[in-house]
Amino acid sequence: MPYETGAKVRLTRDVQVTGNTAAAGTSGPGPLYLAEGLQGVVTGSARGAGGPAQEALASFDQQLGANRFDSFTTAMLDDLRQRLIRQGAFDSVVGDRVGYRVRFENGFVLDGLQEDWLTRA
């Protein structure tokens, strides 16, 4: 059931907002979650290729994009990136997903929420 902009929705599960810095060995707090049942309003949506390969490619580019490597390492990383892209092409054939941007009543705005994470409020 697709949601239009302006639709009132509620979370059907807890959604993690921040990373788990405590698990990384820092003294910072653990992850922050928005609780199941929190209400908000859909402010937008985007259809995009889903699947773990797309998320892995985005993470790969973010972590390694600004670094400099020797030619051998660069070639290995490029091969790995191409494999992720090929897997992403397979994922996009399987089906696209819609990600929703929702502004919650506590002020948080989350983008990329999947349809099954929301229900009408």
Side-chain angles (χ1 to χ4, degrees), residues 19 29 33 50 57 102 114:
Y33 288 86
L57 182 60
V102 178
Q114 296 177 18

Side-chain angles (χ1 to χ4, degrees), residues 17-18 32-34 38 40 102-110:
V17 178
T18 62
L32 173 67
Y33 288 86
L34 293 183
L38 185 63
V102 178
R103 177 178 297 278
F104 291 98
E105 56 192 14
N106 64 0
F108 277 92
V109 177
L110 293 182

Side-chain angles (χ1 to χ4, degrees), residues 29-98:
L32 173 67
Y33 288 86
L34 293 183
E36 176 182 347
L38 185 63
Q39 293 186 10
V41 175
V42 174
T43 60
S45 65
R47 182 171 296 278
Q54 292 297 320
E55 294 167 8
L57 182 60
S59 176
F60 182 89
D61 288 340
Q62 179 184 18
Q63 293 175 12
L64 300 175
N67 295 318
R68 297 183 92 106
F69 300 102
D70 61 49
S71 60
F72 177 75
T73 305
T74 301
M76 281 190 354
L77 290 173
D78 187 51
D79 179 61
L80 180 58
R81 188 173 190 286
Q82 292 304 316
R83 290 172 189 249
L84 287 171
I85 290 171
R86 283 193 296 275
Q87 183 62 41
F90 173 77
D91 284 349
S92 67
V93 170
V94 171
D96 289 344
R97 71 174 184 192
V98 176

